[in-house]
Amino acid sequence: MSTLYVVATPIGNLSDLTSRAIEMLSSVPVVAAEDTRVAKKLLSHIEATPQLESLHGHTSPNRLAQIVQLLDEGDMAVVTDAGTPGISDPGSSLVQAAVKAGHDVTPLPGPSAAVTALSITGWSFDRFLFIGFLPRKKNEQLATLQDAAREPGPVVVYESPHRIKTTLKNIDDALPERQLVICRELTKLFEETFRGTAPEALAHFEEPRGEFVLVIEGAGASKPVEVSDQEIQQTLESIRSEGVGGRTLVDRAIEITGASRKRVYRLSLGK
Ligand code: SAM
């Protein structure tokens, strides 16, 4: 059995390529790449010359089988155009095929646009919702965003410059007043971070260019800080009336009120 090495690559700044990634890409005989032209630029930067196999967005089962046949003969690495393979890109199709064929899969971690953007929000959270690319049809996009409006943690969306204005309008409809952190061209020359609401972002990005990550403040953050004991008790009562008790009762009341676990737990015991 061989090993498929899943190698994260920079999202813009070549200096973000890890030394482990350089060693791996310089030593494996074959590299499967989302787009071989993009991979060639990266590989020539590190003077590596592996055999390149293309793994386009809609890789056919036959093509995947051909690549897995090569993997049967020896170790291979997979890279996508930017960031961590498998995160909103075709990397996952090869990983799935390799696992199915009984090969080992080993990750070489590195940049990902989603986590890079989350790291500079400055918001305190212990969970987040990664959506990646939203559905393109307006009603499907709105439904996805309305679902996401309940998420307590930040919501991460990838977007193209052509669709970002429409998406911002839909965010304003489904999640009005939410703070956004919008990262444009992360790690690149024209890197920019915008902080504000969707209408402010629409005014700011008149002619959007480049690659974007949108991070939407979670529902937890927009709850009133000083919810009263009475409001928490009412929330607990209403959840209890649905037959919910124990830890789930407390969890749901925290989600709705944004109050601390200690406080909700105490009030759930009638103290
Ligand atoms: N696998 C990648 C990752 O780990 O981030 C994501 C691949 S997805 C096909 C490409 C999208 O990621 C872009 O449309 C954009 O939304 C986001 N992205 C990638 N690089 C970026 C950058 N330098 N700045 C902002 N967004 C970026």
Side-chain angles (χ1 to χ4, degrees), residues 30-34 36 51-55 63 67 70 76:
V30 182
V31 171
E34 178 177 3
T36 52
Q51 176 185 329
L52 276 172
E53 294 294 326
S54 73
L55 179 76
R63 179 71 192 126
I67 299 179
L70 288 171
M76 180 188 283

Side-chain angles (χ1 to χ4, degrees), residues 11 82 84 87-89 112-113 133 158-159 186 188 211-213:
I11 55 170
T84 302
I87 310 300
S88 289
D89 66 29
S112 184
F133 293 102
Y158 284 163
E159 196 47 282
L186 280 161
K188 300 188 197 175
E211 296 194 281
F212 287 88
V213 183

